[in-house]
Amino acid sequence: MSSLVIKDLHVAIGDKKIVQGLSLTINGGEVHAIMGPNGTGKSTLSKAIAGHPDYTITSGDVLLDGRSILDREADERARAGLFLAFQYPSEIPGVSIANFLRAAVQARLAEGEEIDATAYYKRLYSKMDLLKIDRKFTSRAVNDGFSGGEKKRCEILQMAMLEPKFALMDETDSGLDIDALRIVADGVNTLRGPNLGVLMITHYQRLLNYIVPDHVHVMWDGRIVKSGDKSLALELEAKGYDWVKKELAATATAAAATAATVA
Ligand code: ADP
Ligand code: MG
């Protein structure tokens, strides 16, 4: 079984420390959700794992199937089986989705190996049928003038074609309309299975009504401060993040009191 292990990870942007000692293990087939208030480092975590050059990993490790990926460039990490769904995907005017995906699949092949056009289209169409995507869709230019929902559809199709071992999905904190949300959820639920692990990053509990996670983690100040099952997401929705903050403060006070007693 595949595994993605994040070990005591610290990430900085310039000299600003953002992720501060985050550990998490995701096994193949599992869906984990990370929730947390804005500015807590959720996007930084996913970009650092994907290998974005602006994010410096100052200590800790990320292992894919037991091997560190930190010495690999972003494209090598993708080839090793990581997929990052961007919060704000780029537009590529003039390049059709069919050609874009073909280039993406080609990039995964060994040097000198050529994609077989017939087999490629067969696979593309079978994935589109699976995801209930209209054939006309792939002749459009990538994200050019797309609605939020269409961008998500393009992203899910890309994920289906690349068949990653692990998908990191950073959902926009404010923007996803209900249509886009459903497309992401239906796509992930269709692709969900023993060969795919998913890390869903989301500010709102709403998405988790559609994609039921196996594990839920709360991120606060660059760390995971609480983990549980899907009921934790419901609790967060009911009580808000302030509840976690109060609990953290209470734990710190208790720890200080214990230390004082021991001293
Ligand atoms: P989240 O996704 O949880 O809302 P982010 O990872 O986007 O949080 O941001 C965490 C912190 O890092 C914030 O204080 C944010 O202002 C800062 N930050 C994010 N990206 C950059 C960047 N490119 N340059 C400088 N600071 C950044
Ligand atoms: Mg974010």
Side-chain angles (χ1 to χ4, degrees):
M1 199 208 300
S2 282
S3 64
L4 182 67
V5 177
I6 304 165
K7 265 191 188 167
D8 195 23
L9 197 71
H10 290 71
V11 183
I13 305 171
D15 49 18
K16 192 171 169 195
K17 293 177 183 170
I18 312 283
V19 175
Q20 303 181 67
L22 188 142
S23 299
L24 177 65
T25 295
I26 306 173
N27 293 307
E30 294 175 351
V31 176
H32 290 242
I34 289 190
M35 303 179 69
N38 278 325
T40 207
K42 303 184 298 296
S43 297
T44 300
L45 172 71
S46 62
K47 286 178 186 164
I49 297 172
H52 193 297
D54 292 353
Y55 299 78
T56 314
I57 294 181
T58 50
S59 67
D61 208 347
V62 181
L63 308 162
L64 177 59
D65 295 341
R67 186 202 183 282
S68 176
I69 58 166
L70 298 188
D71 60 347
R72 299 184 176 183
E73 298 293 329
D75 63 322
E76 293 173 306
R77 295 183 196 192
R79 233 173 285 142
L82 281 185
F83 178 85
L84 179 72
F86 291 108
Q87 196 167 351
Y88 304 106
S90 338
E91 304 187 357
I92 319 179
V95 177
S96 72
I97 292 176
N99 281 333
F100 170 73
L101 290 177
R102 191 170 161 169
V105 173
Q106 175 72 55
R108 297 286 168 95
L109 299 179
E111 232 177 52
E113 206 179 323
E114 271 299 311
I115 211 164
D116 175 80
T118 315
Y120 166 72
Y121 276 100
K122 202 171 154 202
R123 206 157 79 81
L124 177 62
Y125 290 146
S126 85
K127 298 289 187 191
M128 291 174 76
D129 290 345
L130 180 73
L131 297 167
K132 302 188 183 71
I133 297 175
D134 193 288
R135 293 273 159 98
K136 284 199 287 273
F137 187 62
T138 51
S139 56
R140 295 185 56 188
V142 178
N143 293 326
D144 194 7
F146 278 18
S147 68
E150 286 168 335
K151 283 182 181 170
K152 288 290 151 188
R153 190 168 277 138
C154 183
E155 184 179 88
I156 291 286
L157 180 59
Q158 199 179 329
M159 184 167 137
M161 285 302 283
L162 295 176
E163 296 179 349
K165 290 177 182 167
F166 292 96
L168 312 179
M169 315 192 74
D170 189 1
E171 297 312 329
T172 119
D173 287 352
S174 53
L176 280 196
D177 59 28
I178 198 75
D179 246 23
L181 211 66
R182 285 233 168 86
I183 289 165
V184 172
D186 289 349
V188 169
N189 288 331
T190 305
L191 300 176
R192 209 169 167 167
N195 299 321
L196 176 68
V198 178
L199 181 60
M200 298 283 329
I201 294 175
T202 182
H203 179 71
Y204 292 112
Q205 196 275 336
R206 203 167 52 145
L207 181 66
L208 305 179
N209 289 333
Y210 301 99
I211 303 173
V212 180
D214 302 302
H215 302 276
V216 174
H217 311 278
V218 181
M219 189 167 171
W220 193 280
D221 275 349
R223 291 181 196 90
I224 288 174
V225 294
K226 205 172 172 63
S227 296
D229 62 12
K230 62 179 188 217
S231 63
L232 177 57
L234 296 171
E235 209 169 349
L236 277 174
E237 182 168 46
K239 299 184 183 170
Y241 288 111
D242 278 350
W243 158 65
V244 181
K245 198 164 142 187
K246 279 185 197 129
E247 223 181 64
L248 284 175
T251 313
T253 310
T258 310
T261 314
V262 171

